[in-house]
Amino acid sequence: MPSNRRQLLKLSVGALLTTLSYNQLTEFTSSKESKVDVIIIGAGIAGLAAATELQQQGYKTLILEARDRLGGRIWTNSSLDQIPLDLGASWIHGTKGNPLSDLVKKFNLKTLPTNYASLSLYDSKGKSISEVKYKTMESRFEQVMSAVEKLGESPLNISLQAAIDKVTAKLQLSPSALTELNYFINSQIEHEFAADTASLPLQTWDEGKSQRGNDVVFPKGYSQIITNLGANLRIETNQIVSEIKYGATGVEVKTNQGVFLSDRLIITLPLGVLKSEAVKFMPPLPPQKLRAIKNLGVGVLNKLCLQFPEKFWDDEELLGYISAIKGEWAEFLNIDHYTKQPILMGFNAGSYGTQLEMRSDQEIVNSALVVLRKIYGNFPNPKGFLATRWRSDPFAKGSYSFNSPNAGDRQALAKPMSDRLFWAGEATSTDYPATVHGALISGRQAAKLITKL
């Protein structure tokens, strides 16, 4: 969830058509009666945006969705006393010039800004960090990252963490200073990219663009956009795709419920699903596409929502915790600030977030309560909770993508194949990867490529 807390670098690309030779294409007989113009795999925002664009141009479309709901990694869950909680995407990152802002206005939706400076921060013993102490830690983090940025100007083929280690070794930081630094690294970088800094490449980790304006949340849930976008589209849920055949006469998509035919196909499958090879392509995907799928990373940002009988915590929008264990419950969002509901939403990213998925629900809840009780002492147990497991989700296999050492991999993933297969989703966006607006734009771009044929 890259936000305007960081300024990302610029990288613009264009999507070009790749032509396969005739003998590479699979031939099959299509049923003209059941054939649509375009099938879209996935009813996330990329798929919905693509279908909307095509339908407006008179194309007959069909969206096939594996889940029993729309939205994909946009998921508003209201199972806790009908309180809408976003377990996937939470924010519009930068409202100015953002196409999501146009949809907010069109559908008359309410949003509220997040002030990241509204933070209560505590150390590993539960002691409040003073403003003076915070400024010192923040300055040290900025000093380290400035030195890392200079290292990035050299042709070092190392991870971001390796570069950080080089810098901190020269500074000879104390163990407590390193722990404080790790809090900033985890909350400011690893939560943003859903990955450990050890997995992020030094040279390309933050390539992309940022939208200007506030980051905002939906007090009534992000899925309001999904519901409105999908209202007039033909969508079939519980359709798990297992095989895609494409050739000179069209496309054939096999699911657990049948076979569907179309002239063209837009694939918005999450990168994690593509990596899992759950979908077979006939003929196989070309080497450049396979390399892009392999090279790009898929991170994890898991959430835990804790519903309490009443609010006992600070009024600030964010609660921070400097754990001796890097990544352990570094950040909670105060849902009460936005909805007046006594709920805390905790975040865990990268390897720590992945490890938590292996624990039981109660173990996850208990680990969060241990941290909160260090800070606030005794308080009633939560009356309800929701815990995500995005890495284990068979239709996501992770939260969102992060960059590979090769800056061209996103271009390769987005590149259409012949005039049959088109690609969309946040992982295909070079400008705005790992964002909802990046996925939205990619879906519209794929649709426009088809309309220009």
Side-chain angles (χ1 to χ4, degrees), residues 11-15 407 410-411 414 428-431 445:
L11 178 65
S12 350
V13 301
R410 291 194 189 275
Q411 288 176 282
T428 70
S429 174
T430 51
D431 289 341
Q445 288 175 335

Side-chain angles (χ1 to χ4, degrees), residues 141-182:
F141 170 67
E142 291 171 352
Q143 177 189 6
V144 169
M145 293 311 296
S146 178
V148 167
E149 186 177 351
K150 290 181 181 178
L151 281 177
E153 295 172 0
S154 64
L156 285 174
N157 185 23
I158 59 175
S159 71
L160 178 58
Q161 185 60 51
I164 292 171
D165 291 341
K166 282 180 176 290
V167 172
T168 55
K170 288 183 179 180
L171 294 175
Q172 296 183 324
L173 298 182
S174 67
S176 61
L178 281 172
T179 297
E180 293 161 358
L181 178 65
N182 279 336

Side-chain angles (χ1 to χ4, degrees), residues 18-31:
T18 299
T19 303
L20 295 177
S21 62
Y22 183 83
N23 61 8
Q24 289 177 284
L25 299 175
T26 300
E27 296 294 333
F28 54 85
T29 303
S30 62
S31 169

Side-chain angles (χ1 to χ4, degrees), residues 310-349:
E310 59 184 16
K311 176 177 172 287
F312 56 82
W313 52 89
D314 307 76
D315 292 329
E316 279 76 14
E317 295 178 49
L318 292 165
L319 162 64
Y321 174 65
I322 304 174
S323 175
I325 302 171
K326 184 184 179 185
E328 180 189 38
W329 301 109
E331 198 167 48
F332 291 85
L333 183 67
N334 177 12
I335 301 298
D336 179 81
H337 175 82
Y338 306 102
T339 67
K340 301 304 179 186
Q341 298 290 342
I343 295 173
L344 286 173
M345 178 183 286
F347 300 84
N348 287 288

